[in-house]
Amino acid sequence: MRFDAFSRPAAAQRSDCLVIGAFERGELGAEGLAVDRRVRGRVRRLLSSGDFSGHTGETLLLPEVPGVAAGRLLLIGLGNKAQFNRRGWRRALQTAIAALARTRIASAAIALERPGAAELDGYYLGRSIAEITGASLYRVNDLKTGRRARAPALARVLVGPVAAAAIAEVRRGLAAGAALSESARLLRNLGNLPANVCTPRYLAAQARELERSYRRRLRVRVFDEAGIRRLKMGCLLAVTRGSAEPPRFIVLDYRGARRSRPPLVLVGKGVTFDTGGISLKDPPAMDEMKYDMCGAATVLAAIDFAARTGLKINLVGLIPTCENMPDGRAVKPGDIVTSASGQTVEILNTDAEGRLILCDALNYARRYQPEAVVDFATLTGACIIALGNHHSGVMANDDALARELVEAGVRTDDRAWQLPLTEEYGEQLRSNFADMANIAGREGGAITAAAFLGKFTQGMRWAHMDIAGSAWAGGAAKGATGRPLSLVADFLTRRAAGSKS
Ligand code: BES
Ligand code: MN
Ligand code: ZN
C-alpha cells in the first residue's frame, strides 16, 4: 500500500475514486461543499432527492461525475453534524475503506470531513489514515478450503486537501501509520493462529525471523527448558510442567540509541494456550485461550515497529512462553515453588499462571538497570469486569509512567485507564506457607494480580497493562484486534523523540 497527501482541491485530484462525506439531513461540511461547488450542486441535489440519508455507515458509489477528476465519487454517511468528532471520522474512514475493498478501485483520494486540528493534527491525521486503512484491509489467514475471496485492489490512498505547510507532517504520520499496520498484522496473525501452530517454539522462531529482518540492530537469544532451569525460573517451570510442548524464554535486544543509554524493557505474557491447568476452566469459549499469548505478540510487534522505523531508543523484549495444561505431572493447588527472585510462591490456583511466568521475566529485567519496565498480559477476567472491552487496564508503581501510557492511548484512540495499586492489595496475597500466594480472592482481581507482579519489580520504574479485554474480540467477529500496539507505538515514538541518542 502506498500513501500520500495532496493539497489541490479535492475535485481536481486524480485517482480512481474520490471519497467525500455528507451528514444527515443533507448537510455538508467544508470539504463536501468545496466539492459540491465544483460539480455545480450535484451532490446537494442528490442529497435533497432523499436517496442518501447521511446516516453513519451508509455508502453510495457514483460513476463519472462531471467536475470530479477522479473516476468515481464515493459518498459516506457521517451521521449527525453537531455530534461529529474524531471517533465519527474514524468510523467513516473504516466504512470508506471497507466499501472500496469491495470494488476493483486501486487508488482513492480521501477528502472526508475531519475534526478540527485540536482533535487531529497533521501527524495523527496521516498516522490514522494509514493505520485504519491497514486494519480495515486485514484478513485473517484462515484455513478454509473453499475458493478464496479476491484480494482488494486498493493499492494507493491519498489524503487531502492538506495545506502545503502541513504536508510534511502528514507524510511523516502516513509513514508511521504504514509501518504500524505492518507490525499490527504480525500481532494479529500471531494471535489468531491456533495453539497447535502457535506454540512457544513458534514464537521463538518468529523472534528469530525478526532478528533476520533487522540484523544490524536486533539480537535475539532463546532459552530452552534447560536454560530456563539454569536461570532458576521456578515459577515458569511450574506452569509448563503439565505440558508436552517445551517452554521458551525469549530475549530480544534492539539497539537504536547510544549503547550507554539504559533500555526500556517490554515484557509479554506468552501462554500459548491456557486451559487453567488442574484448576481447569469451564468449557465455554475456552478456545479463546489461544489468545493468551497476545502480550508476547504485542512485544514482538512493538520491537518490529521500532526496528522498522529505526526508533532511536534501546529496547529489550522479554517473553516467557509456555502452555498451561492439566496432566499427571502438572503443578497442583497448594504446591510451593521458588521464583527466580528467591521468593517462594504458594500456587493456590493453577489458572493464575500469567503472573507466575511474568514474575520470573520481570526479575530478569533487573539486570538491564532499565529506564522503565512495561509488561503486557491478558492477565485477568476481573479486568474485563472492571473496564469492559473499551479500556486496557494500567497499573504502575510510578504514576508518571502510567500517565504516559494513558495519554498515548488518548492520542491514538487505543484507550487505557489507570487502576489504583496501593499497598492494601499486596497484603491480600498472604500465605500461611510461603512468601506469598498467587491469588487473593475475587475482589479487585485485576489489581491483586498486578500487586503480585509488584513484589518482583521493586526498585524499578514499572507499569503493567492488562489487555484481557482489549486484545481480542469474541463472538461473531472473533479475532485479534491489534490492541494495544497503537498505544505502545506512540509511547515508544514519544520516548525516542525525547532522547539524545
Ligand atoms: N488468561 C486468563 C485471563 C483471562 C480470562 C483473559 C478470560 C481473558 C478472558 C488468566 O490466566 C486467568 O485464568 N486468570 C484468572 C485468575 C484467577 C484464577 C485469580 C481469572 O481471571 O479468572
Ligand atoms: Mn489462567
Ligand atoms: Zn492465562
Side-chain angles (χ1 to χ4, degrees):
M1 186 67 60
R2 284 182 305 144
F3 296 98
D4 204 359
F6 63 86
S7 27
R8 61 173 63 85
Q13 176 60 47
R14 289 186 175 284
S15 74
D16 291 350
C17 185
L18 173 65
V19 181
I20 64 168
F23 295 100
E24 285 167 9
R25 288 189 315 234
E27 289 185 279
L28 288 171
E31 307 292 353
L33 283 171
V35 172
D36 187 56
R37 272 194 299 276
R38 293 286 191 121
V39 301
R40 299 164 187 267
R42 273 199 178 77
V43 174
R44 276 215 274 198
R45 283 200 296 285
L46 176 80
L47 297 177
S48 59
S49 75
D51 292 345
F52 187 83
S53 72
H55 292 326
T56 304
E58 192 174 5
T59 66
L60 183 62
L61 185 62
L62 304 165
E64 293 161 43
V65 177
V68 170
R72 311 168 183 74
L73 181 66
L74 177 62
L75 261 180
I76 303 291
L78 299 177
N80 185 309
K81 189 172 181 184
Q83 285 163 14
F84 186 66
N85 57 14
R86 191 168 69 189
R87 184 154 173 264
W89 174 79
R90 294 181 75 93
R91 288 178 63 177
L93 188 56
Q94 279 159 9
T95 304
I97 302 296
L100 292 167
R102 287 190 293 269
T103 69
R104 299 316 296 161
I105 291 169
S107 67
I110 311 278
L112 287 169
E113 293 320 314
R114 354 185 237 268
E119 263 192 81
L120 190 71
D121 68 16
Y123 174 79
Y124 287 100
L125 168 66
R127 189 187 190 270
S128 308
I129 291 263
E131 187 184 355
I132 293 169
T133 301
S136 307
L137 294 177
Y138 174 81
R139 296 289 178 274
V140 153
N141 194 4
D142 64 49
L143 295 173
K144 293 181 183 176
T145 52
R147 243 183 82 190
R148 284 207 174 270
R150 238 203 303 180
L154 194 62
R156 192 164 145 77
V157 171
L158 307 165
V159 53
V162 173
I167 249 187
E169 210 192 320
V170 176
R171 287 192 175 132
R172 220 164 42 79
L174 287 167
L180 183 51
S181 8
E182 292 299 318
S183 308
R185 198 211 331 256
L186 169 69
L187 165 54
R188 295 173 77 176
N189 281 344
L190 288 174
N192 288 328
L193 281 172
N196 61 334
V197 174
C198 186
T199 59
R201 284 177 293 171
Y202 188 90
L203 288 179
Q206 287 295 304
R208 289 271 181 231
E209 188 87 16
L210 291 184
E211 185 182 44
R212 265 193 294 284
S213 309
Y214 308 113
R215 270 233 174 271
R216 284 185 36 239
R217 289 191 161 157
L218 184 63
R219 285 279 170 276
V220 171
R221 188 163 175 203
V222 178
F223 293 90
D224 63 6
E225 184 151 8
I228 293 168
R229 188 159 289 117
R230 278 194 293 278
L231 292 172
K232 298 189 161 41
M233 296 186 161
C235 289
L236 171 56
L237 288 169
V239 175
T240 193
R241 276 191 67 88
S243 172
E245 278 293 335
R248 291 289 183 263
F249 180 60
I250 307 167
V251 180
L252 303 101
D253 198 333
Y254 168 77
R255 298 279 159 171
R258 60 185 159 76
R259 287 245 150 220
S260 57
R261 188 177 162 192
L264 186 71
V265 176
L266 307 179
V267 181
K269 170 178 173 181
V271 174
T272 57
F273 197 78
D274 180 12
T275 65
I278 296 299
S279 313
L280 194 62
K281 288 181 181 295
D282 281 342
M286 204 209 269
D287 65 287
E288 292 181 16
M289 284 298 114
K290 73 174 183 180
Y291 290 109
D292 213 17
M293 36 53 70
C294 281
T298 299
V299 170
L300 289 173
I303 286 178
D304 178 76
F305 174 79
R308 193 180 286 278
T309 56
L311 281 191
K312 291 187 167 48
I313 190 172
N314 291 334
L315 269 183
V316 170
L318 300 179
I319 298 175
T321 171
C322 66
E323 288 182 339
N324 185 21
M325 302 288 285
D327 181 72
R329 290 165 39 87
V331 67
K332 302 169 292 297
D335 285 1
I336 295 176
V337 297
T338 304
S339 70
S341 74
Q343 299 177 91
T344 54
V345 179
E346 185 185 15
I347 300 177
L348 288 176
N349 189 321
T350 66
D351 198 11
E353 86 296 343
R355 61 197 77 181
L356 293 173
I357 71 170
L358 288 170
C359 75
D360 282 341
L362 288 167
N363 180 69
Y364 189 91
R366 219 173 265 289
R367 68 184 63 202
Y368 296 97
Q369 295 179 293
E371 186 176 277
V373 182
V374 185
D375 77 74
F376 304 91
T378 49
L379 202 62
T380 65
C383 191
I384 313 177
I385 302 297
L387 298 174
N389 306 109
H390 308 301
H391 286 78
S392 303
V394 176
M395 287 143 271
N397 63 10
D398 184 297
D399 281 335
L401 180 60
R403 206 169 318 118
E404 265 182 79
L405 291 164
V406 167
E407 284 170 5
V410 170
R411 285 191 296 270
T412 56
D413 292 305
D414 181 2
R415 279 182 292 186
W417 197 259
Q418 188 183 3
L419 301 174
L421 184 57
T422 45
E423 289 170 357
E424 309 85 291
Y425 296 95
E427 291 162 9
Q428 283 179 245
L429 292 161
R430 283 221 176 86
S431 156
N432 284 353
F433 306 108
D435 292 338
M436 70 195 86
N438 77 328
I439 52 163
R442 280 159 47 83
E443 300 84 1
I447 305 177
T448 53
F452 179 92
L453 300 179
K455 293 184 184 290
F456 299 83
T457 59
Q458 274 158 7
M460 300 190 286
R461 292 179 67 201
W462 158 74
H464 155 64
M465 287 197 69
D466 195 328
I467 55 170
S470 53
W472 77 90
K478 191 185 293 181
T481 58
R483 293 178 67 189
L485 185 62
S486 190
L487 178 161
V488 178
D490 195 67
F491 167 75
L492 296 179
T493 304
R494 291 256 170 163
R495 282 220 155 208
S499 77
K500 306 141 247 109
S501 69

